């Protein structure tokens, strides 16, 4: 048995491979100390810290929605509701400006503009496009946030549990990475840096892939981040600046210690779980699953993977012996509608990769 600090890479739907990796990790009787993740890795870190076993995580991740019958993660691509947009936002939106510029209304007949907008907002596809333009992402992300809250409640935690309360209740040291667009800064949320910030909202911020899910706004009641007010700041996916924050467990420089705490560097090994899209999942083909209606969502995530991986790979090369590379090639970041058969291949890829890694580092 060995103790590890663990980091989980972002990767959207490909993060299901972590379940298989954790199955092999647990079967070898290893345990974790600190946990940190980005996006899908943030979900994995929080569920692990909250007390979910790999088997429980498998059951949660492979469930289907009771209403639609689709994989549970497919509900994460949820269109915004009509009442998600304030009257002020609608009145000042780009569509309203274009209607006026196109001369589609007459002086003194402003009600016509309102009727056009209201009519368009009845259409789900238009609401997604409206959200993309006005809120920074096609999808609302409310289903994902509610799912995270429910997972916390299932383990006896409050849906709005803060980082301070999470650490006090679970005794686990968990962190998630997000990006403050307003200050152009990588933000690491945990009990040390943002004790009053809700855990569920933190994970939702971490998974906000730009242009896919709408941005999150830091609320005043979430308190400060490292003594600084972030109220009103815009937050998106942590992968914008670091999709694989291995440095935060591998190094003990003053800036890292300030965020991750002072721990015995010899008290635990380092283990990074890297989702490797360059290697095909054994037995899998390129996805023929129905893609999200707005194909640009996949284009954006592919671009994100390219940008973020290039920054993190330099760190990964320095600590390559601490990295378990999991093949996820052939799978899309937003492939949340994958079939059960493809889910099982992805999970098996994670399990096999971890078994090989542990055998090679015994």
């Amino acid at each position: 048995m060995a103790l590890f600090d663990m980091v989980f890479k972002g990767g959207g739907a490909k993060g299901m491979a972590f379940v298989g990796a954790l199955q092999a990790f647990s079967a070898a009787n290893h345990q974790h100390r600190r946990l940190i993740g980005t996006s899908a890795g943030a979900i994995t870190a929080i569920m692990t810290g909250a007390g979910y076993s790999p088997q429980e995580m498998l059951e949660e991740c492979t469930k289907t929605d009771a209403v639609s019958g689709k994989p549970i993660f497919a509900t994460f691509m949820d269109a915004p509701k009509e009442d998600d947009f304030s009257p002020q936002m609608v009145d000042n939106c780009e569509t309203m400006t274009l209607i006026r510029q196109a001369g589609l209304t007459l002086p003194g007949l402003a009600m016509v503009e309102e009727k056009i907008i209201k009519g368009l907002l009845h259409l789900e596809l238009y609401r997604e496009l409206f959200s993309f333009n006005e809120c920074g992402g096609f999808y609302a992300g409310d289903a994902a946030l509610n799912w995270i809250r429910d997972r916390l409640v299932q383990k006896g935690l409050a849906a709005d549990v803060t980082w301070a309360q999470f650490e006090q209740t679970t005794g686990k040291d968990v962190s998630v990475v997000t990006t403050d667009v307003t200050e152009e800064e990588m933000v690491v949320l945990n009990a040390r840096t943002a004790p009053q910030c809700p855990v569920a909202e933190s994970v939702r911020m971490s998974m906000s892939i730009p242009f896919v899910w709408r941005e999150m706004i830091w609320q005043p009641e979430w308190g400060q981040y490292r003594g600084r007010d972030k109220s009103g700041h815009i937050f998106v996916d942590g992968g914008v600046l670091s999709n694989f924050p291995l440095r935060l467990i591998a190094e003990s420089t003053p800036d890292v210690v300030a965020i991750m705490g002072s721990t015995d560097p010899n008290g635990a090994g380092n283990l990074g779980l890297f989702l490797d899209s360059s290697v095909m999942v054994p037995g899998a083909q390129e996805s023929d699953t129905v893609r999200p209606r707005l194909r640009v969502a996949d284009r954006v995530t592919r671009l994100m993977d390219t940008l973020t991986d290039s920054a993190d790979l330099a760190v990964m090369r320095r600590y390559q012996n601490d990295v378990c590379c999991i093949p996820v090639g052939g799978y899309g970041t937003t492939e949340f509608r994958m079939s059960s058969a493809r889910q099982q291949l992805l999970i098996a890829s994670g399990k096999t990769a971890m078994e090989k890694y542990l055998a090679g580092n015994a």
Side-chain angles (χ1 to χ4, degrees):
M1 183 187 80
L3 187 66
F4 290 92
D5 287 337
M6 303 180 73
V7 57
F8 301 92
K9 182 179 184 288
K14 294 176 286 190
M16 193 172 290
F18 290 139
V19 175
L22 288 172
Q23 286 177 326
F25 181 83
S26 178
N29 295 316
H30 296 315
Q31 296 181 357
H32 61 266
R33 185 174 64 170
R34 295 182 296 176
L35 301 164
I36 183 169
T38 300
S39 195
I43 295 176
T44 305
I46 282 298
M47 291 186 71
T48 302
Y52 281 87
S53 69
Q55 181 57 37
E56 289 174 324
M57 203 176 298
L58 173 66
E59 293 169 0
E60 293 294 339
C61 294
T62 56
K63 283 181 178 178
T64 56
D65 180 58
V67 177
S68 66
K70 297 177 182 177
I72 195 66
F73 289 154
T75 66
F76 287 12
M77 314 296 272
D78 52 336
K81 301 179 180 64
E82 290 184 55
D83 59 5
D84 283 352
F85 311 114
S86 68
Q88 293 81 4
M89 181 182 293
V90 172
D91 188 57
N92 295 311
C93 72
E94 197 70 29
T95 305
M96 187 71 82
T97 300
L98 291 173
I99 290 173
R100 291 164 179 160
Q101 290 178 346
L104 298 179
T105 60
L106 297 173
L109 295 177
M111 290 296 293
V112 175
E113 302 170 358
E114 185 177 331
K115 287 182 179 180
I116 292 174
I117 293 291
K118 284 186 175 180
L120 288 171
L121 286 172
H122 282 310
L123 304 175
E124 186 177 277
L125 177 58
Y126 177 75
R127 292 199 301 275
E128 291 175 354
L129 293 170
F130 185 97
S131 180
F132 172 79
N133 196 58
E134 305 295 334
C135 306
F138 295 114
Y139 305 112
D142 293 337
L145 178 58
N146 290 331
W147 184 85
I148 296 163
R149 287 171 172 163
D150 289 344
R151 303 290 71 72
L152 294 171
V153 170
Q154 194 165 305
K155 284 299 180 181
L157 298 162
D160 60 352
V161 63
T162 65
W163 282 108
Q165 294 165 341
F166 182 91
E167 183 182 61
Q168 183 178 15
T169 303
T170 65
K172 301 300 182 182
D173 189 336
V174 184
S175 306
V176 303
V177 177
T178 183
T179 301
D180 180 349
V181 176
T182 305
E183 288 193 324
E184 301 178 348
E185 174 187 30
M186 182 179 82
V187 168
V188 183
L189 301 173
N190 56 40
R192 290 172 293 276
T193 63
Q196 300 310 311
C197 185
V199 170
E201 275 75 0
S202 299
V203 177
R204 170 66 180 81
M205 281 189 273
S206 183
M207 59 164 279
S208 297
I209 298 173
F211 312 125
V212 178
W213 282 286
R214 61 186 176 193
E215 303 154 341
M216 294 282 286
I217 308 298
W218 190 283
Q219 301 302 309
E221 59 268 27
W222 295 355
Q224 296 183 328
Y225 173 73
R226 302 183 66 190
R228 290 183 282 138
D229 185 20
K230 293 283 187 179
S231 299
H233 288 206
I234 297 172
F235 282 77
V236 299
D237 194 306
V240 169
L241 294 178
S242 183
N243 212 21
F244 188 53
L246 181 64
R247 176 175 173 265
L248 295 180
I249 65 167
E251 299 180 359
S252 297
T253 57
D255 63 313
V256 170
V257 171
I259 293 171
M260 299 298 294
S262 179
T263 59
D264 178 4
N266 299 315
N270 297 323
L271 177 55
L273 279 68
F274 183 86
L275 301 175
D276 191 348
S277 296
S278 69
V279 181
M280 288 290 294
V281 171
Q285 303 296 322
E286 287 287 347
S287 173
D288 57 1
T289 304
V290 177
R291 296 286 189 180
R293 177 168 56 196
L294 293 163
R295 296 178 184 175
V296 71
D298 270 352
R299 295 192 184 102
V300 168
T301 55
R302 285 197 295 271
L303 177 61
M304 286 285 297
D305 284 347
T306 302
L307 292 172
T308 58
D309 283 358
S310 63
D312 289 323
L313 284 175
V315 176
M316 182 174 143
R317 291 188 188 100
R318 290 204 298 271
Y319 305 103
Q320 55 186 328
N321 292 334
D322 297 334
V323 178
C324 171
C325 290
I326 303 173
V328 293
Y331 285 73
T333 301
T334 57
E335 195 187 331
F336 294 109
R337 296 177 176 87
M338 73 178 78
S339 66
S340 176
R342 282 182 62 79
Q343 287 179 349
Q344 294 306 315
L345 287 173
L346 187 58
I347 292 167
S349 180
K351 186 172 185 290
T352 300
M354 180 59 75
E355 289 172 342
K356 289 181 178 178
Y357 175 83
L358 294 175
N361 290 271

